Amino acid sequence: MTVGPAVNESATNELARHEVTVSPVEKFREFLGTRGKRLTQERETIVREIFADHEHFDSDQIVSRLTQPRRDGGRVSRATVYRTLRELEKAGLIRKVARSNDREVYEHDYGYPQHDHFICEKCSQLVEFRNEEISSVLERVSAEHGFRMKGHRLEVHGICDACARPPVRRHRKLDMI
Amino acid sequence: MTVGPAVNESATNELARHEVTVSPVEKFREFLGTRGKRLTQERETIVREIFADHEHFDSDQIVSRLTQPRRDGGRVSRATVYRTLRELEKAGLIRKVARSNDREVYEHDYGYPQHDHFICEKCSQLVEFRNEEISSVLERVSAEHGFRMKGHRLEVHGICDACARPPVRRHRKLDMI
DNA sequence: CTCCCTGCAAATTTTTTGCAGAAAC
DNA sequence: GTTTCTGCAAAAAATTTGCAGGGAG
């Protein structure tokens, strides 16, 4: 595995957790049920690991965390992680978020309200934000094109507030006197 | 190479080509120049191949087209194609467009106006559309968050008009009489 | 002339798969 | 009991890299 450029920037928790009646695990069990599939220990371990926080993650991170022996839930093989991530995506529990340069990462698609992302070109930080208007505009535009919108994926690229702020001056003119 | 699920659906040409003063090749030459890099025959061949039409494409497609002997421009090695695609992305000539399930594909990011995509969940077709309002809403939302927007990437998922239309009835009731 | 670039082949990285035993239902 | 899983190891797919010779500026 690679430990390349970190994919660890947290998805800033501007958004409060949604009220969800069933846990991600239950939700997954339901999905599997309708397809004659089973909720195994491995699958449950993976879902718990993924939904333990609201960070973004990629396949490799989950593989390395679950592949080595662990305190609680048992370890899970690489193949199973891949197989389960695909299922979780179909189940609508997670989805991919593309990041301009870097590779793609997953994010939770259950338990949190619909939101979009700001991606800073300087520090690569990914910030979630929520705006009602965007959806309604899209809803209308879609209708105009005879398209039945189910959802959307939006990334706004640019420079975040922190990176835009000029670096702190070391010496001010006054110091020179 | 893989000939998996086609990635050939055309990017419907709803959008007219922009007036561009310099060709993609020239644009690339400029970019390379500012970095002490060179516009080689291979790089030119690749750019021409890519900008010959306005279809979306992935690395593999370009590799297979340019890797075998060709009428005009000479062949280019796999490694060079990968290396050049990366440069073209940095140069802002192409960019990645994520497609829900399938893999990512590239699209032109030069010579065509800013636009977004509808992606049909049924037929996977990718349709480009253009809407002024979206940008202005994003501009405002960004400002509210202290974010300096440079651009955005948006995909609207759902069902396209064609797929939404019910299949043609074979036998109408009258036929039964 | 001097670097930058290319092709090649090998190395890496990432994801998928066949199969035998294990485990849900 | 069946049928669906899992882990393993190997295979396949996708991308990157070192290096020696070739070419752009």
Side-chain angles (χ1 to χ4, degrees):
Chain A
M1 68 136 268
T2 327
V3 187
V7 188
N8 312 321
E9 312 80 17
S10 57
T12 311
N13 255 319
E14 291 190 354
L15 307 176
R17 198 157 200 306
H18 245 188
E19 285 307 325
V20 281
T21 38
V22 284
S23 70
V25 173
E26 276 319 306
K27 183 82 180 173
F28 195 32
R29 187 201 304 280
E30 283 172 21
F31 170 82
L32 293 170
T34 67
R35 309 215 170 189
K37 298 190 170 182
R38 298 159 185 178
L39 177 64
T40 63
Q41 279 192 276
E42 290 79 3
R43 288 175 176 168
E44 186 165 343
T45 297
I46 296 172
V47 177
R48 290 194 186 292
E49 177 65 34
I50 289 176
F51 281 85
D53 56 41
H54 188 42
E55 306 299 307
H56 293 87
F57 59 93
D58 66 13
S59 319
D60 203 51
Q61 292 177 319
I62 302 302
V63 167
S64 35
R65 283 191 223 145
L66 297 186
T67 278
Q68 27 219 86
R70 322 176 53 246
R71 340 78 243 182
D72 52 322
R75 48 151 275 149
V76 181
S77 76
R78 170 183 311 274
T80 298
V81 171
Y82 275 104
R83 286 189 276 233
T84 303
L85 288 179
R86 249 182 303 170
E87 289 301 317
L88 283 170
E89 210 180 339
K90 284 187 208 151
L93 286 174
I94 62 176
R95 62 170 175 170
K96 286 180 179 158
V97 189
R99 307 219 306 166
S100 40
N101 315 310
D102 286 304
R103 89 187 61 188
E104 289 189 324
V105 294
Y106 285 105
E107 72 169 2
H108 297 166
D109 194 16
Y110 177 70
Y112 285 83
Q114 151 73 44
H115 60 267
D116 300 303
H117 298 99
F118 286 124
I119 299 183
C120 179
E121 294 173 352
K122 281 267 177 54
C123 65
S124 284
Q125 192 180 173
L126 206 156
V127 178
E128 299 181 352
F129 71 92
R130 191 160 143 65
N131 181 288
E132 303 287 342
E133 195 175 349
I134 292 172
S135 293
S136 54
V137 171
L138 294 182
E139 199 71 71
R140 179 158 43 70
V141 175
S142 295
E144 288 167 5
H145 287 258
F147 191 84
R148 317 216 174 161
M149 177 169 106
K150 291 282 193 61
H152 73 267
R153 183 160 133 168
L154 165 66
E155 295 161 18
V156 179
H157 297 264
I159 310 291
C160 73
D161 201 32
C163 291
R165 235 183 277 286
V168 193
R169 277 275 167 61
R170 293 306 193 97
H171 307 288
R172 279 179 299 166
K173 281 176 181 161
L174 282 177
D175 296 344
M176 306 294 287
I177 299 183
Chain B
M1 68 138 268
T2 326
V3 188
V7 186
N8 314 321
E9 312 80 16
S10 57
T12 310
N13 257 318
E14 292 191 355
L15 306 176
R17 198 159 202 306
H18 245 189
E19 285 307 324
V20 282
T21 40
V22 285
S23 70
V25 174
E26 278 318 306
K27 185 81 179 174
F28 195 32
R29 189 203 302 283
E30 283 171 21
F31 170 82
L32 293 170
T34 67
R35 309 217 171 184
K37 299 189 169 182
R38 297 160 186 175
L39 179 63
T40 61
Q41 279 192 275
E42 290 80 2
R43 287 176 178 168
E44 187 166 341
T45 298
I46 295 171
V47 176
R48 290 194 186 291
E49 177 66 34
I50 289 177
F51 281 85
D53 56 41
H54 187 44
E55 306 299 307
H56 293 87
F57 61 93
D58 67 11
S59 319
D60 203 51
Q61 291 177 317
I62 301 303
V63 167
S64 34
R65 281 190 225 147
L66 297 187
T67 278
Q68 26 221 84
R70 320 177 55 247
R71 338 78 245 181
D72 52 323
R75 48 152 275 146
V76 181
S77 75
R78 171 182 308 275
T80 298
V81 170
Y82 275 105
R83 285 189 279 234
T84 302
L85 287 178
R86 249 184 303 171
E87 290 300 318
L88 283 170
E89 210 180 338
K90 285 188 207 152
L93 286 175
I94 61 175
R95 63 173 175 166
K96 286 178 180 158
V97 189
R99 307 219 305 168
S100 42
N101 315 312
D102 285 305
R103 87 187 62 189
E104 290 189 323
V105 293
Y106 286 105
E107 71 169 1
H108 297 166
D109 194 15
Y110 177 70
Y112 284 83
Q114 151 71 45
H115 60 267
D116 299 303
H117 299 100
F118 286 123
I119 299 182
C120 178
E121 294 173 352
K122 282 267 177 54
C123 65
S124 284
Q125 190 179 178
L126 205 156
V127 178
E128 300 182 351
F129 72 93
R130 192 161 143 65
N131 181 287
E132 303 287 342
E133 194 176 350
I134 291 171
S135 293
S136 55
V137 170
L138 293 182
E139 199 73 71
R140 179 158 45 70
V141 175
S142 295
E144 287 167 5
H145 286 260
F147 191 84
R148 316 215 175 163
M149 177 169 105
K150 291 282 192 62
H152 74 266
R153 183 160 133 170
L154 166 66
E155 294 160 20
V156 178
H157 297 264
I159 310 291
C160 74
D161 200 33
C163 291
R165 235 183 278 286
V168 193
R169 278 271 169 64
R170 295 303 195 98
H171 306 287
R172 278 178 301 166
K173 281 176 181 163
L174 281 177
D175 296 345
M176 304 296 287
I177 300 182

